[in-house]
């Protein structure tokens, strides 16, 4: 009994932590959200220099005002079909914790929508689909007006096994 | 007479050889020898009294050596072997046998009596000052091991302390304390005599130990010895090595203190060297004084007692110089420099301590503070030592640390004429602030970005179109500002070579004394600036070259005189800009390089076969070959750690070059050409399909458009290009990097021939776009190391270009 109360407390605390502002964007008609604190800036599409011997979803590197940062295509990262980039295609630059301090990474998304304030009672824990779908990097699902938003745990998206593997083979 | 002479001789010889061979380290061997000799004595009983007495002495001597009682172990063993020899001679009826035996007997006797003298009173020592300390140390060690009922040992201890008290050299305070210790120890022994069941109480041992420790420390304060022996660690109870870092130390503040003091110490060292050439330079004295004073104050604040104490003593010494009480000459300069070295060592230890290791007292610390406290007591005065290894010379130490502009004409230097020169420029007070390096890098990035976006504006159709003249003028004006800004941002990472050169001045000073050569050290262009990261990298090669010049280049004063050169050699260290590079040059007027000696060595090492037709330059370059590293090159001095091959490797690692010029008998020049900065390389931009890559120009040999006939395939996979009679493997960048739309027809594509580690390879690209300076950037943590790519660069159009890693490409091609 006590245990279940504790675990309930834990979840409610987690949910509370998740409350806040989210930048939402679309990928193939699905709405996603990333915590606003992780985001450095949003830039339009720019020429990307492709880097050999990297996975498909690594589009290459760009010059962000003198800094060279890698760019990932989130569509390809999530196994969605690639589309041609348009005027509305954006690169969201996020900052995640690396081994030697914070690192910046660009994410290519279809369109950027808006910044949403999401309350804790709107957030539900990620659904479980069993082995069919890996939901590790989903922080939760928000039931906001105008549809469901998938809230991403961006550090996990970018530091999942594949990237670690990439670092090793490289 | 049961045993024949021959037999005895053989046995004696056996014993002697045994001692000779196995030496002092084998107590078992010595014991055997004793047994053998004793047998002999018994067998020859009463036969030849002289010989028997001698052999008896030998046995005594061997025993003494065996029990480590001998004062002069080596001497004893020699005497013993001598005696055995003499005995042999006697038995073989050689001429003068009586005399020999008697002499050997006397020698051995005197050596042995020395031993017994030591054993009894311990006062006849060769180094009286050390003796007291040694005996005290022995006593403390003995005390540590004593058992509660081991009274013979206790009595031995009493004798030791007694010896200290009796020693003439023992300073008064030390003697007093030792007497106390002796008193305590004797009390214990007396109690035991009165009561056989009495055991030594723990606290008595502690008390004696404390007294001994006190005596030792009073000794080190009074230590009048001026030898270089490191302070002996006190083994007395409770004297484990103490951690001098206060427990509640604020590590961040201490870190800042270390950085700050680093500058102070560097300034102090430089000022000390100036002072040596001009002892009257009060400004320099004040600089050093201030440095010590600062360190003293701050370290006291942090409760870093070791530094406070040392700085305090050094400060007092300097204040005496400042007040004109003593002159900065003779032994004082060495003392002051030693204090600076010790301070450096302390800061190094402190730095380690911040990382968790204990902050211990460095070796020789006590001795040095003792010296500083009372230098006169140790016989240091401002009178120049006449017997120093460096002979008296025309420029008495004044030209030594000369750091002014070159003046080779002033071959008869006179301290007075030089003084004005040394004082120039010292009024310039440098004001600066510290900026974190990452903020600076960011700033430089931004400026680079500004340059790129500005050039985009300037080349825009609207501006360059020619219709808006006013706008054109304004843009041209900003172009100038942007260019200035770019130059400035590049120069921000640059620091002058001054600090490095100062270090060399110190090195030359110390080294020239050590090898007994007179050297006038002249630096030029120490304001030449170089990338901050490179300073550390060139330091070691430079030290090596300077040392080489001193060691091998410049001859001894006598030799120089014979050759008609001035007694003192000249070592020039200069830096200047040349063709976009910084050149650092070490020039000596010594004997130069010996072509024949180098060739002989190279032949011996199998580096060359004959070498007859080699140019001087090729021959000199041989000394950079790894085979030369550990051996003597031209002179016999060797074993100095790094070889010249390491020098070359270090320099080439930062895309520099080393070159040697030499004139036999006239001197040699070692020339390092270094790029201005590590952040920029010259690169050739090549196009492969839609992609652009950069190949470092330094690794490019040439580029060709080969004839189809020159290309042959291996197993229909690998391609080879025949170029000037050589076959080199071809690598298609497009295939390796999976670039589409690249030119695949070989004759149309261009082959860039590159070299890495002595191996050539051809890289097939579509076009050569042009060569330009490239600012190197890493690809960042997330993309890690990609084989074949060494980094990235921002191209003039603002895009990112990838820099090819030639070595990696070759590896990549081989793994596929």
């Amino acid at each position: 009994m006590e245990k279940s109360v504790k675990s309930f407390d834990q979840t409610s605390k987690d949910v509370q932590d998740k409350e806040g502002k989210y930048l939402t964007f679309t990928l193939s008609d699905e709405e996603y959200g990333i915590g606003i604190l992780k985001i450095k800036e949003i830039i339009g599409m720019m020429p990307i220099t492709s880097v050999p011997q990297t996975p498909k979803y690594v589009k290459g590197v760009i010059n962000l005002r003198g800094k060279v940062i890698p760019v990932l295509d989130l569509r390809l990262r999530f196994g969605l079909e690639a589309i041609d980039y348009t005027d509305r295609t954006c690169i969201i630059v996020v900052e995640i914790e690396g081994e030697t301090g914070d690192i910046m990474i660009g994410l290519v998304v279809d369109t950027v929508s808006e910044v949403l304030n999401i309350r804790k009672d709107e957030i539900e824990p990620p659904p479980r689909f069993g082995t069919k779908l890996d939901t590790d990097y989903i922080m939760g699902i928000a039931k906001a007006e105008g549809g469901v938003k998938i809230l991403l745990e961006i550090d996990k998206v970018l530091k999942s096994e594949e990237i670690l593997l990439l670092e090793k083979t490289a | 007479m049961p045993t024949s002479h021959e037999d005895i001789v053989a046995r004696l010889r056996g014993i002697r050889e045994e001692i000779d061979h196995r030496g002092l380290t084998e107590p078992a061997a010595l014991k055997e020898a004793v047994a053998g000799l004793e047998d002999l004595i018994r067998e020859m009983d009463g036969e030849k009294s002289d010989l028997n007495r001698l052999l008896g002495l030998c046995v005594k001597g061997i025993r003494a050596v065996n029990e480590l009682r001998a004062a002069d172990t080596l001497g004893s063993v020699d005497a013993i072997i001598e005696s055995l020899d003499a005995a042999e001679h006697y038995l073989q009826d050689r001429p003068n046998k009586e005399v020999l035996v008697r002499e050997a007997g006397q020698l051995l006797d005197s050596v042995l009596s020395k031993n017994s003298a030591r054993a009894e009173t311990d006062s006849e020592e060769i180094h009286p000052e050390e003796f007291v300390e040694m005996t005290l140390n022995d006593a403390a060690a003995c005390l540590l091991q004593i058992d509660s009922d081991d009274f013979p040992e206790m009595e031995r201890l009493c004798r030791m302390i007694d010896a200290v008290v009796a020693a003439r050299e023992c300073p008064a305070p030390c003697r007093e304390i030792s007497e106390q210790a002796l008193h305590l120890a004797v009390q214990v022994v007396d109690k035991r005599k009165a009561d056989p069941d009495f055991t030594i109480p723990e606290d008595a041992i502690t008390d004696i130990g404390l007294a001994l420790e006190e005596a030792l420390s009073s000794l080190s304060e009074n230590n009048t010895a001026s030898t270089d022996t490191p302070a002996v660690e006190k083994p007395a109870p409770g004297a484990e090595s103490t951690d001098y870092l206060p427990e509640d130390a604020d590590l961040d503040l201490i870190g800042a203190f270390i950085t700050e003091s680093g500058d102070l110490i560097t300034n102090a060292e430089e000022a000390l060297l100036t002072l040596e050439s001009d002892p009257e330079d009060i400004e320099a004295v004040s600089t050093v004084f201030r440095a010590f004073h600062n360190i003293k104050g701050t370290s006291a604040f942090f409760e870093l007692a070791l530094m406070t104490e040392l700085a305090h003593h050094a400060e007092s010494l300097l204040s005496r110089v400042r007040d004109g009480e003593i002159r900065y000459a003779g032994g004082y300069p060495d003392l002051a420099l030693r204090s600076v070295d010790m301070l450096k060592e302390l800061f190094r230890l402190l730095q380690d301590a911040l990382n968790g290791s204990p902050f211990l007292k460095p070796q020789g610390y006590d001795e040095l503070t003792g010296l500083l406290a009372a230098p006169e007591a140790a016989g240091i005065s401002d009178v120049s030592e006449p017997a120093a290894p460096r002979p008296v010379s025309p420029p008495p130490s004044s030209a030594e640390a000369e750091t002014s502009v070159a003046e080779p004409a002033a071959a008869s230097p006179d301290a007075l004429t030089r003084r004005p020169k040394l004082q120039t420029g010292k009024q310039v007070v440098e004001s600066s602030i510290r900026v974190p390096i990452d903020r600076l890098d960011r700033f430089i990035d931004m400026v680079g970005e500004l340059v790129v976006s500005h050039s985009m504006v300037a080349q825009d159709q609207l501006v360059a179109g020619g219709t808006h003249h006013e706008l054109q003028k304004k843009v041209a004006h900003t172009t100038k500002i942007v260019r200035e800004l770019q130059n400035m941002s590049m120069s921000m990472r640059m620091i002058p070579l001054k600090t490095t050169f100062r270090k060399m001045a110190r090195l030359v000073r110390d080294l020239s004394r050590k090898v007994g050569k007179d050297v006038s050290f002249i630096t030029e262009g120490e304001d030449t600036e170089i990338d901050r990261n490179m300073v550390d990298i060139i330091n070691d090669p430079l030290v090596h070259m300077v040392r080489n010049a001193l060691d091998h280049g410049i001859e001894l004063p006598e030799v120089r005189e014979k050759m008609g050169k001035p007694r003192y050699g000249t070592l020039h260290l200069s830096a200047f800009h040349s063709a976009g590079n910084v050149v650092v040059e070490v020039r000596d007027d010594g004997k130069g390089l010996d072509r024949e000696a180098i060739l002989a060595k190279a032949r011996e090492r199998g580096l060359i076969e004959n070498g007859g037709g080699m140019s001087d330059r090729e021959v000199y370059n041989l000394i950079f070959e790894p085979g030369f590293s550990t051996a003597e090159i031209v002179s016999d001095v060797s074993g100095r750690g790094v070889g010249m091959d390491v020098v070359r490797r270090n320099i080439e690692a930062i895309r520099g070059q080393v070159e040697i010029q030499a004139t036999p008998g006239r001197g040699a020049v070692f020339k390092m050409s270094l790029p201005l900065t590590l952040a920029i390389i010259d690169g050739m931009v090549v196009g492969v399909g839609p992609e652009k890559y950069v190949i470092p120009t330094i690794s490019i040999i040439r580029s060709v458009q080969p004839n189809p006939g020159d290309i042959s395939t291996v197993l229909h996979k690998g391609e080879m290009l025949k170029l000037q009679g050589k076959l080199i493997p071809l690598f298609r960048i497009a295939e390796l990097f999976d670039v589409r739309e690249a030119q695949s027809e070989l004759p149309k594509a261009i082959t860039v021939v590159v070299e890495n580690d002595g191996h050539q390879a051809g890289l097939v690209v579509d076009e050569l776009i042009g060569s330009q300076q490239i600012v190197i950037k890493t690809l960042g943590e997330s993309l890690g190391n990609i084989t074949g790519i060494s980094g990235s660069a921002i191209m003039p159009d603002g895009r990112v270009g990838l820099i090819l890693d030639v070595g990696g490409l070759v590896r990549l091609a081989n793994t596929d």
Side-chain angles (χ1 to χ4, degrees), chain A residues 47-54 58 61-68 70 98-101 103 105 163 166-167 170, chain B residues 442 445-446 449 691 693 736-737 777-779 781-787 789 792-794 798-802 812:
Chain A
I48 301 178
T49 305
S50 67
V51 178
Q53 296 169 68
T54 48
V58 177
V61 286
I62 55 165
N63 166 24
L64 183 70
R65 291 191 306 285
K67 255 197 150 93
V68 175
E99 272 164 43
T100 54
I103 52 177
I105 291 181
I163 293 217
L166 161 72
E167 274 173 10
Chain B
R442 191 85 199 98
D445 280 352
M446 295 312 298
E449 219 27 40
E691 305 291 341
Y693 297 104
L736 288 176
F737 286 170
K777 312 222 175 214
T778 62
L779 273 177
E781 189 188 317
S782 50
L783 285 179
N785 313 306
I786 293 171
T787 320
I789 305 284
S792 58
I794 312 277
R799 286 189 56 168
V800 181
L802 298 177
L812 180 69

Side-chain angles (χ1 to χ4, degrees), chain B residues 492-505:
Chain B
M492 276 185 167
R493 289 168 65 103
M494 310 288 258
I495 54 171
L497 277 167
K498 201 178 270 164
T499 342
T500 314
F501 278 22
R502 278 177 202 165
K503 275 189 211 153
M504 297 306 140

Side-chain angles (χ1 to χ4, degrees), chain B residues 94 101 117 148 212 233 240-241 271 307 368 377 385 402 452 525 543 547 658 750 757 803 807:
Chain B
R94 297 256 184 93
V101 166
S148 61
L212 283 179
E233 247 190 82
E240 302 96 75
S241 36
M307 291 180 190
L368 183 62
E385 310 137 55
E402 179 68 71
V452 171
V543 166
R547 230 191 255 174
V658 205
I750 290 172
D757 282 344
I803 303 172

